[in-house]
Amino acid sequence: MSETTTGGSSSSSRASTTIPSTPNMDPTTPTVEDPAPNANNGMSRDEFRQYGKETVDYIVDYLENIQKRRVVPAIEPGYLKDLIPSEAPNAPESFESVMEDFEKLIMPGITHWQHPRFHAYFPAGNSFPSIIADMLSDAIGCVGFSWVSVKAACPAMTELELIMLDWFGKMIGLPAEFLPLTENGKGGGVIQSSASECNFVTLLAARFEIMKELRQRFPFVEEGLLLSKLIAYCSKEAHSSVEKACMIGMVKLRILETDSKFRLRGETLRNAIQEDRNLGLIPFFVSTTLGTTSCCSFDVLSEIGPICKENELWLHVDAAYSGSAFICPEFRPLMNGIEYAMSFNTNPNKWLLINFDCSTMWVRDRFKLTQALVVDPLYLQHSWMDKSIDYRHWGIPLSRRFRSLKLWFVIRMYGIDGLQKYIREHVRLAKKMEAMLRGDAKFEIVNEVIMGLVCFRMKGDDETNQTLLTRLNASGRIHMVPASLGDRFVIRFCVCAENATDKDIEVAYEIISQAAQHVLHDSVKAVIAEEDEEAVALEEMVADLNIQETPDKGLARQNSADAVGQRLERQLSKEEILAQKQHESLAKKRSFLVRMVSDPKCYNPKIVRHLNMANHRKMSQDLYRDRTLMQTISHSQRPNRLSQSPGSAGSAFFDDDDDRVVADVQTGLQTPI
């Protein structure tokens, strides 16, 4: 461990061979016999040495030349079924044939997340030190569910995980109460598989805590009834995993509105808590986000935290993407209010060059977490339980991988300085893209660019932006995904590649700008054709009105002019309704995966049903206006209506017996859910 304090100087003092040889406990002990001395049984040690080196070369070549490949594959669902035999082979096959099929069959269906033109979602951490650490972890092949050394677990896994959570917690500026090695502290950290699991286990811990209290206060009330009263909160920009956690945990979830910067504010939460308590519900859990998936917005913890403390609610902070950036001191003010949190998580496998999976989570009181998850059969008990941590009580699975090894390798081989430089470079490149898009009159920026994510859209309607994104992704030259912000379709551009450069950003901007120009060109042609049709229709209408002129020429001309004006207004209303129809069908046209990542509310049936009712009411109003205009024009074209009241222009438009029709059922403009 002393090498960690000397940085790069330690490696220069070593011998030329930096990888130590495997020690022998007893020189007289013979080596284990090779279980596969020939190629007919899997792979021998000698073959593994050869093929392992070849595979490393393949990996390096792949990453070095990845820009020559399409970012996304040009295949359709089910492409692989007809290319791979329907039955597994009985006889062993050679490594060469497997690798040949890998390149020929698998690679054409791969989305290349490390591609310099991959700008979707968030970065997928990847680095050579992390890959090597995973190789060693796979070779060791242990299952580290507890510290104990005498029952087939792994003490080193537990020990290193504790130290890495302490290191990383200090790097990002967490309060000492969260750190696992704080003297006499209750806090602790654990590495989970994903942020989704972090959200779920913290919700279970909060639920267990409140149910324990409720059972004491209401000992004769059925537990199911108490559970039905619980309600949790998150913002509309929170990740979909919060909703899934509540669904599995069988508690209600209230999704709250955000401010103009897409942040959850304290006053919104306070009002919701009061409303729900008035309804007899029991608030118990609040999930906040630092760096939302849709636009990388930051909920205001300094406002939310005191409200949670005042109401004794469990406050969880999900910083899956942005949490790694807190190793840079200039970003830590975004964490103001973290002292009120009960739990916090971030994903080094997103933005700290760690390969998936590695999601770090800290709690202020580890006993409140473990009491909700502890199951302790006799065969898992050991004599060191009072002096060590068993991570099997900190999550859902019993079996655990050696994830801390990746964190250890990457932090040591990059150093805090190197990781800070990597984060800051991504932020600088995102700012560069923001400036280029702002300087282009075709685009507008929708989010506040703080980290490595830029949300933008073309100036126009949602259909235009959807067409742009479809054209870009179909080209295979670049990949991005959408989000819904303020009920508008926006495009997310995230800096993802580890070694992204200014040239990569400039190329991406040129691709986007050229595609936008093509979309504008196509839409202009369509508009011209549509305008020609409208002009012909209006000319025909004016001609019809001239033929129907009454002896009172002046009144007829007046009515003709009014009718033309009403016709123009009606056409405008029709366009608005069509635009709304296209907007509301957008969610159904997008793929389920994109909706799940970019717009969590789109696939919640309850929320969709609510939105549909609101849209139905709006469309009913539009339809009422449209039908009224149609009746007005139709009445104005009837000679008998004009001749009945020649002295009054108003009577030519409306009679007392006019029928006004309002849509009271779903129309064809919106398919019911």
Side-chain angles (χ1 to χ4, degrees):
M1 292 298 296
S2 60
E3 294 172 355
T4 61
T5 61
T6 60
S9 60
S10 62
S11 60
S12 60
S13 60
R14 297 176 184 172
S16 56
T17 301
T18 58
I19 302 177
S21 58
T22 304
N24 282 324
M25 300 299 293
D26 184 353
T28 62
T29 302
T31 59
V32 178
E33 183 179 355
D34 191 339
N38 56 64
N40 293 326
N41 296 299
M43 186 180 293
S44 68
R45 292 196 188 103
D46 289 338
E47 288 173 331
F48 179 71
R49 292 179 191 273
Q50 174 189 345
Y51 298 142
K53 293 173 183 177
E54 292 178 5
T55 303
V56 169
D57 288 339
Y58 178 91
I59 292 171
V60 175
D61 291 340
Y62 163 73
L63 293 173
E64 187 177 10
N65 299 290
I66 194 172
Q67 72 278 1
K68 298 178 182 178
R69 299 176 184 262
R70 283 178 58 97
V71 186
V72 291
I75 50 91
E76 295 181 357
Y79 88 99
L80 199 56
K81 182 179 179 181
D82 296 331
L83 301 177
I84 289 182
S86 59
E87 302 290 340
N90 289 320
E93 299 181 11
S94 67
F95 175 78
E96 290 83 0
S97 65
V98 174
M99 282 301 295
E100 181 181 354
D101 284 345
F102 173 78
E103 181 62 42
K104 183 173 64 176
L105 306 180
I106 304 303
M107 272 300 184
I110 294 291
T111 296
H112 301 285
W113 285 59
Q114 309 306 321
H115 198 289
R117 234 66 77 222
F118 181 93
H119 299 291
Y121 312 111
F122 284 128
N126 191 24
S127 64
F128 292 132
S130 178
I131 294 173
I132 291 174
D134 250 349
M135 290 171 62
L136 293 173
S137 172
D138 291 342
I140 294 170
C142 60
V143 181
F145 49 78
S146 67
W147 183 94
V148 64
S149 59
V150 296
K151 291 189 178 181
C154 185
M157 283 180 63
T158 302
E159 298 275 338
L160 187 61
E161 190 161 333
L162 278 170
I163 296 169
M164 288 303 100
L165 269 297
D166 198 70
W167 273 19
F168 191 32
K170 291 175 181 176
M171 287 167 59
I172 62 178
L174 282 180
E177 293 83 0
F178 286 91
L179 303 180
L181 298 183
T182 298
E183 188 174 358
N184 299 321
K186 292 183 179 181
V190 60
I191 301 179
Q192 308 282 18
S193 62
S194 67
S196 299
E197 187 175 354
C198 295
N199 287 328
F200 182 48
V201 297
T202 53
L203 179 113
L204 291 180
R207 191 189 71 172
F208 185 90
E209 191 69 15
I210 188 66
M211 288 296 293
K212 182 174 66 173
E213 178 185 341
L214 292 175
R215 282 193 296 266
Q216 293 174 351
R217 291 174 56 190
F218 308 103
F220 302 109
V221 178
E222 186 180 353
E223 193 166 311
L225 180 59
L226 295 175
L227 186 64
S228 70
K229 298 292 184 180
L230 300 185
I231 186 167
Y233 302 92
C234 70
S235 86
K236 64 186 292 187
E237 302 302 333
H239 193 266
S240 59
S241 60
V242 180
E243 183 183 343
K244 181 176 285 189
C246 291
M247 180 177 66
I248 301 173
M250 295 186 294
V251 296
K252 296 178 175 64
L253 173 66
R254 182 166 177 177
I255 301 175
L256 304 177
E257 289 295 325
T258 56
D259 65 7
S260 59
K261 294 184 178 180
F262 311 105
R263 306 174 299 176
L264 179 61
R265 304 300 297 268
E267 192 62 26
T268 304
L269 176 63
R270 185 190 300 277
N271 293 338
I273 291 172
Q274 188 59 52
E275 290 172 4
D276 290 334
R277 281 194 167 144
N278 292 341
L279 294 172
L281 299 175
I282 304 172
F284 78 105
F285 181 80
V286 178
S287 179
T288 56
T289 310
L290 298 181
T292 58
T293 302
S294 57
C295 62
C296 200
S297 57
F298 291 78
D299 293 340
V300 186
L301 294 185
S302 58
E303 296 177 3
I304 297 170
I307 295 172
C308 291
K309 182 178 181 181
E310 174 187 338
N311 291 275
E312 298 181 346
L313 308 185
W314 184 297
L315 174 59
H316 176 65
V317 180
D318 179 3
Y321 166 63
S322 67
S324 298
F326 298 148
I327 65 173
C328 303
E330 63 267 29
F331 296 122
R332 289 180 193 163
L334 295 167
M335 293 176 66
N336 288 346
I338 190 65
E339 63 272 14
Y340 295 100
M342 286 295 294
S343 51
F344 175 91
N345 74 272
T346 186
N347 287 12
N349 60 255
K350 279 189 172 68
W351 209 12
L352 207 70
L353 300 172
I354 310 290
N355 289 70
F356 184 81
D357 56 348
C358 184
S359 186
T360 51
M361 186 186 90
W362 294 263
V363 288
R364 182 181 295 275
D365 189 338
R366 63 181 180 270
F367 301 106
K368 290 184 177 180
L369 173 65
T370 57
Q371 69 181 354
L373 299 168
V374 63
V375 176
D376 206 23
L378 180 62
Y379 57 83
L380 294 177
Q381 297 175 14
H382 57 88
S383 59
W384 296 99
M385 292 172 62
D386 58 334
K387 295 183 180 180
S388 65
I389 283 181
D390 285 351
Y391 276 126
R392 60 193 168 94
H393 301 316
W394 290 59
I396 303 301
L398 173 64
S399 303
R400 307 181 75 252
R401 300 179 63 245
F402 203 167
R403 303 183 185 102
S404 59
L405 201 61
K406 296 182 285 189
L407 207 54
W408 191 46
F409 268 56
V410 170
I411 292 175
R412 290 186 63 185
M413 298 189 71
Y414 281 87
I416 296 176
D417 291 342
L419 295 172
Q420 288 175 335
K421 182 180 178 182
Y422 159 72
I423 295 286
R424 288 168 177 149
E425 179 66 4
H426 272 207
V427 175
R428 185 189 71 81
L429 293 173
K431 293 286 188 180
K432 180 184 179 74
M433 173 58 82
E434 178 193 16
M436 297 176 76
L437 291 170
R438 283 193 187 278
D440 192 326
K442 297 190 295 293
F443 301 105
E444 59 178 320
I445 302 297
V446 184
N447 71 324
E448 183 181 6
V449 180
I450 300 174
M451 299 292 181
L453 178 67
V454 183
C455 292
F456 70 97
R457 56 181 274 127
M458 285 182 66
K459 294 177 180 177
D461 57 20
D462 285 347
E463 183 181 14
T464 300
N465 283 276
Q466 185 183 15
T467 301
L468 172 62
L469 183 59
T470 301
R471 184 186 290 265
L472 287 167
N473 288 340
S475 71
R477 301 171 63 198
I478 193 170
H479 186 48
M480 295 177 290
V481 294
S484 177
L485 294 177
D487 295 325
R488 295 198 301 168
F489 185 93
V490 302
I491 301 173
R492 299 170 71 262
F493 178 94
C494 188
V495 181
C496 293
E498 175 187 356
N499 299 309
T501 63
D502 288 88
K503 182 65 175 177
D504 292 326
I505 301 302
E506 292 163 4
V507 170
Y509 167 74
E510 287 300 325
I511 294 172
I512 294 169
S513 182
Q514 290 173 11
Q517 197 64 43
H518 285 299
V519 170
L520 285 174
H521 179 69
D522 293 344
S523 64
V524 166
K525 289 194 298 184
V527 167
I528 291 174
E530 184 177 341
E531 286 178 350
D532 288 342
E533 294 175 3
E534 295 294 336
V536 171
L538 286 174
E539 288 175 2
E540 291 176 353
M541 179 181 174
V542 172
D544 291 341
L545 288 172
N546 288 336
I547 293 172
Q548 296 170 2
E549 281 190 349
T550 66
D552 191 338
K553 302 286 187 180
L555 178 60
R557 290 193 186 94
Q558 176 66 38
N559 287 325
S560 299
D562 290 341
V564 172
Q566 293 286 352
R567 169 69 170 171
L568 289 171
E569 185 177 351
R570 185 177 74 83
Q571 289 299 327
L572 247 146
S573 300
K574 180 181 176 181
E575 291 173 6
E576 290 173 357
I577 292 174
L578 289 175
Q580 185 168 351
K581 173 187 174 183
Q582 293 160 353
H583 170 75
E584 289 164 2
S585 62
L586 181 61
K588 292 181 287 186
K589 292 180 181 178
R590 282 186 282 167
S591 70
F592 179 78
L593 178 61
V594 169
R595 282 184 287 158
M596 184 172 181
V597 173
S598 302
D599 190 3
K601 70 175 182 296
C602 282
Y603 61 93
N604 182 333
K606 295 181 180 178
I607 298 176
V608 171
R609 193 177 303 116
H610 171 74
L611 293 176
N612 283 342
M613 292 304 298
N615 292 335
H616 167 58
R617 288 193 294 271
K618 177 66 169 62
M619 284 188 294
S620 295
Q621 296 168 3
D622 291 341
L623 192 59
Y624 167 75
R625 179 184 58 190
D626 186 52
R627 291 192 178 184
T628 301
L629 293 173
M630 289 174 63
Q631 289 174 357
T632 300
I633 292 173
S634 115
H635 294 332
S636 68
Q637 292 179 344
R638 297 177 188 171
N640 60 328
R641 298 293 289 271
L642 289 171
S643 60
Q644 286 172 2
S645 304
S648 172
S651 62
F653 286 92
F654 298 103
D655 273 350
D656 293 337
D657 60 350
D658 276 352
D659 294 326
R660 309 293 178 85
V661 181
V662 181
D664 55 0
V665 295
Q666 291 276 11
T667 69
L669 296 176
Q670 175 67 47
T671 304
I673 297 298

